[in-house]
């Protein structure tokens, strides 16, 4: 039997801490106060095996308060216990410290935990070990009951202990002899003891605390701290809430007023539907402000929660027994959250680090009833890019293609080199209108009110409603990957003949009348009037049919294919949490390098001119290399077309432009001589912002030797990164203009510094340029 010294902690044997306590060496009437009293005791929760405790620790069962020198020692001990009882174990979740990111606790679970495999039954058996300040690990949570049959393990077929590293399994005898295992001292009893002492030393049955005693405005004063709702935990079976934590308002470090206080209370739902307090930590690491009389502090979110639970206006804890808070009570069900709790601390730490490096870095966290939900972030470079390239954005939620672990979404635009440019990122708590509305409203705050002309996003009702609410004048174009997926799902039973006619109607119709006629004929021919999906897609035609998208500016993002994912294969729905930040930074750096390379090429290389037309030289001087090549191709193609004037009235004339030798391919161009403007039925300029071959052919016929300024979009020019001059006259507020100027100067300064740090000579040159610039700007020394 194990022997432990009993410190004088003021506990009495009647408190239930010990059983079978007897003196070993002390005399019954000894007056020698210095005599050591040796007791033989079992820790709370330990059971005797065969009415006795075997020699050593080899027959110990897991119990609250067992101490280990390491988490691996705890795993080996639990594995040895599992071998004796007849089940296998594996390593479950780990939790990290909010201060330094080190592992603070680990769970070891039954191998049948969860439902990811057919062999698993959702077994709840587990132990959790918590790292203490001394560096040891203590069992602070345990569940022994299994929901499946246990098979006694014999020596020839022992259960396999699943580990992360291939270490040799220690036998039960070795575990018993290892010095790593010891019983925790009485002064470090687990906090469950507090549950038994809450009512004048009389334990509450099943850990249920009757809180009728705690009256607001009663005789008892408050403890002197505020609370808020912390984490919630959900069932892996049906997603229902199984437990909730209420924490001190100074828990965590996300706000300067918080000091990482560890005080909390956790309630757990029982099978009967009642909720019990199963964990409690009373100690605070800060001074308490005693509340008396009319000077009591508010109960914040937790008061609201309790008021909702009670359903009483006078509410809260006045007349509420926690045991009567059933699952069917009028509790407002918390919104689903698909973001694992570990992600919040990881990203918040990253955000704070980035904010120290980049004063333009912005992040925001959505809260719901005191719980963290969605996250949004954008660095200074992305916010400036939005001011120039935020007219057409892709809201990429392709993580939803599979059962995702990381609900990561990104806002991506197209820069002046036709490259994807990151504008913002987010983790989305759930696919609900509330989440998307919060996300788009946060976008407006971060981007100084920038509203895109077009947003390419999924067709989901929640996204559609949020866009209409936050971006009422923005055109919502559906994601092509989702359209393709729905076509496969809803049209898989149709014949190849139907699919061919369907494709022709969608992608070859030239006018709305032609589309409507062809679509109606298709529906009637194949008796599809009752097909709900086709009826819905017909009503939403302006959001996905190419014919109706041509007149909407999309920065040339192809209609029939999806934009390349910004992070490629670096980030996906299965990215591990420990690799997310490094992969995110690598993907971002790779894209920045690609942009710098194109910047260099546009300023230092010149495309070869194929004509003697002044418009070609003009656009080569203004456009980036990539965009100029698109324009140059349209200019060369225009010589393959014939232009015939078909109408003229006053300053307005109309031309029919058709391809030589092809009577079918023709477009109508309307030209206004009063202001030198033109529009084409192909609507390339409206869609992409670059003049089409048809208008260029008419300009050529009319001997217009320079492209009017209104057709040279600033976003496609080499100087697109300097957008403030253009925006001075665009009616932006002084605050927005200041933000644009600040972001532009910061980006320029970053590039200046990068060039100046490559060598000592360039440093001297950069320093001299800055000094001379400072003189011109009249810097004050």
């Amino acid at each position: 039997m194990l022997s432990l010294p009993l410190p004088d902690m003021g506990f009495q044997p009647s408190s239930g801490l010990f059983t079978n306590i007897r003196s070993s060496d002390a005399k019954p009437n000894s007056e020698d106060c210095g005599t050591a009293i040796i007791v033989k005791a079992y820790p709370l929760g330990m059971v005797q095996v065969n009415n006795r405790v075997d020699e050593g620790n080899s027959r110990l069962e897991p119990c609250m308060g067992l101490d280990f020198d390491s988490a691996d020692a705890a795993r080996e001990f639990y594995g040895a216990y599992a071998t004796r009882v007849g089940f296998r174990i594996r390593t479950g979740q780990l939790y990290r410290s909010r201060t330094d990111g080190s592992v603070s606790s680990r769970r070891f679970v039954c191998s049948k935990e969860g439902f990811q495999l057919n062999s698993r039954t959702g077994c709840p058996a587990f132990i959790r070990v918590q790292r203490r300040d001394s560096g040891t690990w203590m069992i602070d949570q345990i569940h022994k009951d299994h929901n499946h049959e246990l098979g006694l393990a014999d020596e020839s077929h022992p259960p396999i202990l699943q580990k992360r590293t291939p270490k040799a399994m220690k036998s039960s005898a070795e575990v018993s002899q290892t010095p790593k295992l010891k019983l925790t001292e009485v002064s470090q009893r687990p906090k469950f003891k507090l549950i038994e002492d809450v009512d004048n030393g009389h334990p509450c049955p099943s850990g249920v605390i009757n809180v009728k005693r705690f009256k607001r405005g009663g005789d008892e004063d408050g403890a002197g701290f505020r609370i808020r709702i912390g984490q919630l935990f959900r069932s892996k079976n049906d997603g229902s809430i199984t437990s909730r934590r209420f924490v001190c308002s100074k828990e965590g470090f996300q706000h300067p007023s918080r000091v990482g206080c560890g005080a909390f209370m956790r309630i757990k739902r029982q099978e009967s539907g009642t909720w019990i307090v199963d964990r409690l930590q009373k100690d605070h690491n800060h001074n308490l402000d005693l509340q008396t009389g009319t000077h009591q502090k508010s109960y914040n979110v937790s008061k609201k929660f309790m008021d909702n639970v009670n359903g009483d206006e006078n509410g809260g804890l006045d007349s509420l027994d926690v045991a009567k808070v059933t699952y069917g009570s009028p509790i407002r069900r918390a919104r689903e959250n698909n973001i694992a709790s570990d992600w919040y601390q990881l990203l918040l730490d990253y955000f704070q680090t980035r904010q120290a490096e980049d004063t333009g870095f912005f992040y925001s966290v959505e809260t719901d009833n005191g719980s963290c939900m969605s996250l949004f972030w954008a660095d200074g470079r992305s916010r400036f890019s939005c001011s120039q390239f935020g007219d057409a954005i892709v809201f990429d939620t392709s993580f939803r293609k599979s059962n995702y672990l990381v609900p990561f979404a990104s806002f991506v635009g197209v820069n002046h080199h036709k490259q994807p440019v990151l504008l913002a990122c987010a983790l989305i708590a759930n696919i609900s209108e509330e989440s998307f509305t919060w996300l788009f409203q946060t976008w407006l705050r971060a981007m100084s009110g920038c509203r895109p002309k077009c947003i390419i996003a999924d067709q989901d009702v929640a996204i559609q409603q949020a866009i209409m609410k936050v971006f009422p004048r923005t055109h919502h174009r559906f994601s092509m990957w989702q359209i393709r997926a729905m076509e496969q799902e809803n049209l898989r039973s149709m014949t190849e003949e139907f699919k061919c006619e369907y494709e022709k109607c969608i992608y070859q119709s030239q006018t709305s009348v032609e589309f409507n006629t062809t679509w109606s004929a298709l529906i009637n021919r194949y008796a599809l009037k009752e097909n709900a999906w086709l009826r819905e897609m017909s009503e939403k035609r302006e959001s996905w049919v190419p014919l109706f998208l041509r007149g909407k500016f999309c920065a040339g993002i192809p209609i029939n294919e999806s934009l390349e994912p910004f992070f490629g294969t670096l980030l996906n729905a299965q990215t591990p949490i420990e690799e997310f930040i490094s992969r995110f930074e690598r993907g971002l750096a790779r894209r920045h390098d690609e942009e710098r390379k194109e910047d260099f090429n546009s300023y230092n290389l010149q495309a070869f001119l194929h004509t003697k037309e002044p418009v070609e030289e003009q656009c080569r001087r203004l456009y980036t290399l990539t965009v100029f090549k698109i324009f140059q191709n349209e200019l060369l193609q225009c010589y393959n077309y014939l232009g015939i004037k078909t109408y003229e009235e006053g300053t307005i004339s109309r031309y029919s432009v058709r391809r030589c030798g092809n009577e079918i391919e023709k477009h109508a161009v309307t030209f206004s001589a009063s202001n030198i403007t033109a529009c084409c039925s192909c609507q390339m300029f409206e869609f992409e912002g670059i003049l089409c071959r048809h208008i260029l052919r008419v300009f050529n016929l009319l001997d217009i030797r320079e492209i009017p300024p209104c057709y040279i979009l600033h976003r496609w020019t080499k100087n697109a990164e300097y957008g403030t001059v253009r925006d001075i006259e665009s009616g932006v507020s002084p605050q927005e203009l200041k933000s644009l100027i600040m972001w532009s100067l910061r980006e320029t300064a970053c590039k200046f510094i990068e060039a100046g740090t490559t060598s000592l000579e360039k440093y001297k040159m950069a320093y001299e340029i800055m000094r001379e610039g400072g003189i011109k700007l009249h810097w004050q020394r």
Side-chain angles (χ1 to χ4, degrees), residues 529-540:
K529 288 185 178 180
E530 302 302 320
N531 188 304
W533 181 76
L534 286 174
R535 184 167 58 250
E536 179 187 2
M537 297 308 290
S538 176
E539 295 172 355
K540 300 287 186 180

Side-chain angles (χ1 to χ4, degrees), residues 188-438:
Q188 297 170 335
R189 301 304 304 169
K191 300 305 177 184
F192 286 161
K193 179 63 185 67
L194 296 173
I195 296 177
E196 300 188 1
D197 286 340
V198 294
D199 199 2
N200 298 325
H202 301 290
C204 299
S206 302
V208 177
I209 302 177
N210 187 320
V211 295
K212 292 180 180 179
R213 305 184 285 112
F214 303 107
K215 308 277 188 178
R216 293 196 299 272
D219 296 335
E220 298 188 18
D221 293 335
F225 65 97
R226 300 184 182 186
I227 66 171
R228 55 188 174 83
I229 292 180
Q231 287 177 304
L232 60 83
F233 300 87
R234 294 183 179 275
S235 166
K236 291 186 177 181
N237 186 20
D238 59 6
S240 61
I241 298 174
T242 57
S243 64
R244 297 208 68 146
R245 282 168 55 103
F246 303 97
V247 301
C248 174
S249 62
K250 293 184 179 292
E251 182 264 355
F253 298 93
Q254 296 91 329
H255 190 272
S257 64
R258 300 184 185 176
V259 294
C261 180
F264 75 95
M265 178 183 79
R266 191 177 81 170
I267 59 173
K268 187 174 183 180
R269 178 167 58 87
Q270 304 299 291
E271 292 183 0
S272 62
T274 60
W275 295 73
I276 69 168
V277 176
D278 73 330
R279 293 190 68 188
L280 185 65
Q281 168 62 272
K282 288 186 175 181
D283 299 331
H284 297 260
N285 64 354
H286 56 91
N287 295 328
L288 301 179
D289 184 12
L290 294 180
Q291 305 169 0
T292 57
T294 59
H295 295 90
Q296 293 185 0
K297 294 187 178 181
S298 65
Y299 285 80
N300 290 351
V301 178
S302 294
K303 174 184 180 296
K304 177 181 178 181
F305 172 78
M306 284 302 185
D307 287 347
N308 289 339
V309 169
N310 193 42
D312 186 353
E313 207 171 78
N314 298 325
L317 301 173
D318 286 352
S319 58
L320 177 67
D321 191 323
V322 174
K324 295 179 181 178
V325 181
T326 62
Y327 189 63
S329 296
I331 303 177
R332 185 179 74 83
R333 184 180 179 86
R335 281 168 52 204
E336 182 182 6
N337 190 348
N338 294 318
I339 303 175
S341 58
D342 291 347
W343 284 91
Y344 292 106
Q345 190 55 47
L346 173 81
L347 288 175
L348 288 173
D349 289 344
Y350 172 70
F351 296 162
Q352 291 169 3
T353 301
R354 292 289 288 113
Q355 213 166 41
E357 302 168 351
D358 177 6
T359 56
F361 191 91
F362 176 96
Y363 74 90
S364 183
V365 182
E366 180 195 18
T367 58
D368 178 61
N369 206 22
S371 299
C372 289
M373 301 294 285
S374 301
L375 298 98
F376 174 98
W377 71 95
D379 59 23
R381 181 170 187 163
S382 293
R383 296 172 76 188
F384 174 68
S385 295
C386 182
S387 69
Q388 307 307 308
F389 312 119
D391 42 14
I393 63 175
V394 177
F395 180 47
D396 184 5
T397 56
S398 54
F399 65 84
R400 302 170 53 220
K401 294 180 184 178
S402 60
N403 292 327
Y404 54 89
L405 299 178
V406 187
F408 176 73
S410 58
F411 294 83
V412 179
V414 176
N415 69 7
H416 51 323
H417 302 298
K418 286 280 190 171
Q419 297 171 315
V421 57
L422 187 66
L423 305 180
C425 298
L427 287 190
I428 304 175
N430 57 70
I431 311 303
S432 66
E433 182 180 340
E434 293 90 342
S435 291
F436 292 118
T437 298
W438 175 86

Side-chain angles (χ1 to χ4, degrees), residues 684-724:
M684 177 178 173
F685 181 79
E686 287 77 7
F687 179 78
E688 191 166 358
I690 301 173
L691 282 179
C692 64
R693 60 194 66 178
H694 315 110
I695 292 180
L696 290 175
R697 184 56 181 160
V698 172
F699 281 1
N700 182 264
L701 291 174
L702 297 175
D703 198 28
I704 297 175
R705 306 176 65 81
E706 186 174 283
I707 302 296
C710 62
Y711 293 113
I712 304 291
L713 294 191
H714 182 80
R715 68 166 345 276
W716 295 132
T717 65
K718 298 176 183 178
N719 294 325
E721 56 187 338
Y722 307 108
T724 55

Side-chain angles (χ1 to χ4, degrees), residues 142-162:
I142 186 170
H143 190 108
K144 290 188 178 181
D145 297 333
H146 298 258
N147 64 359
H148 56 90
E149 293 184 0
L150 300 178
L152 293 178
D154 56 330
E155 293 183 358
S156 60
H157 299 89
I160 299 174
L161 177 62
Q162 300 181 16

